[in-house]
Amino acid sequence: MNTDNSLKAPHVSVLYHEIIAALRPESPGLYVDATLGAGGHAWGILHQSEPGGMLLGLDVDPRALELAHQRLTSFFGRFHLVHSSYTELRNVLLTLGWDHVDGIVIDLGVSSMQIDSPERGFSFQKDGPLDMRFDPSQPVSAEDILNGFPEQEIADLLWKYGEERNSRRIARIIVENRPVKTTLQLSELIRRVSPGHRDRINPATRTFQALRIAVNHELDSLESFLPQAVSSLKPGGRLAVISFHSLEDRIVKQFFRYESRDCVCPPEQPVCTCGHQATIKEITRHPLTAQEDEVRENPRARSARLRIIEKR
Ligand SMILES: C[S@@+](CC[C@H](N)C(=O)[O-])C[C@H]1O[C@@H](n2cnc3c(N)ncnc32)[C@H](O)[C@@H]1O
């Protein structure tokens, strides 16, 4: 028997109880965890849907799949873990013969396991190569962008994906100091052009966020995932999305608003001509956030925003 509680305890998963309450897993339902990570949410779904609930878990990081597999062994026979992007959700479901499912969770962003591994390059506090790929088989790393893209393109992506006001100066110092090879080298360059850097947050935060989003095409992937998720739900099935910054949350919010309206004609138009019909019902009009005690235990939870919808 496995007595290592770290493989079982779901306590590191952000908004764990809220996700279980949102999806209401039960036997014999079909569920998807689109970003398996260390398998914390997946564990809760399988536990709650005993004895007959089934789970499909997706991740692009082979290390995450290995860890999740270990953590979920006690549910053997009730899960499929697949190395795939959530942008392939429909195809993977078709392969399994799962036409529609009862619940889907997606917990965006980087896991603590990835942040804590300096060799993955996600952290500006630990020295490592500038990698930042969730899927190590993908061709382009952060280093390729920093050392290969024109200065203007780097500035644009820091602005667009990091909302970094200092994007031009940061892009300039990067290009002047090529090749930029390590996370601490990059952080130090950013610090040198960050006036005063009196903010509570490290001046490298926005640049690292922007690079990660660009390397992994995160926003495009989310836009491709959301309609697939909604069309994969049974009537009454639920989708729960955890996002970590305003760019992601905006995409989720706008998609949910649009899909929950019966008419999407411009408001000044007196008669509806669009024929659009609501496909979902918003369960959370405003996003749920973590309770203080969760934030105290897991600071990553501080910026988490949870939105939930139900399929009509
Ligand atoms: C925040 S973690 C998920 C943690 C998980 N909910 C738990 O309870 O342990 C996000 C995971 O999403 C994965 N990921 C990132 N982009 C992905 C994509 N396009 N498709 C599938 N998984 C992805 C990352 O590799 C990471 O393991």
Side-chain angles (χ1 to χ4, degrees), residues 275-291:
H276 187 263
Q277 292 215 313
T279 57
I280 62 172
K281 183 168 85 187
E282 282 187 286
I283 301 296
T284 46
R285 184 78 185 156
H286 300 288
L288 303 181
T289 53
Q291 305 282 325

Side-chain angles (χ1 to χ4, degrees), residues 79-100:
F79 59 83
H80 302 271
L81 306 189
V82 180
H83 180 245
S84 168
S85 170
Y86 51 71
T87 57
E88 295 300 313
L89 176 66
R90 272 315 291 159
N91 289 335
V92 182
L93 287 175
L94 281 178
T95 323
L96 285 181
W98 291 13
D99 213 22
H100 290 95

Side-chain angles (χ1 to χ4, degrees), residues 145-159:
I145 292 179
L146 292 166
N147 296 316
F149 279 28
E151 181 179 326
Q152 185 61 45
E153 264 184 63
I154 295 179
D156 288 349
L157 78 83
L158 297 185
W159 172 252

Side-chain angles (χ1 to χ4, degrees), residues 13 34-41 59-61 85-86 107 109 114 134 300:
S13 294
T35 50
L36 192 61
H41 290 127
D59 206 295
V60 286
D61 182 349
S85 170
Y86 51 71
D107 174 13
Q114 290 162 333
F134 285 127
R300 181 176 167 265

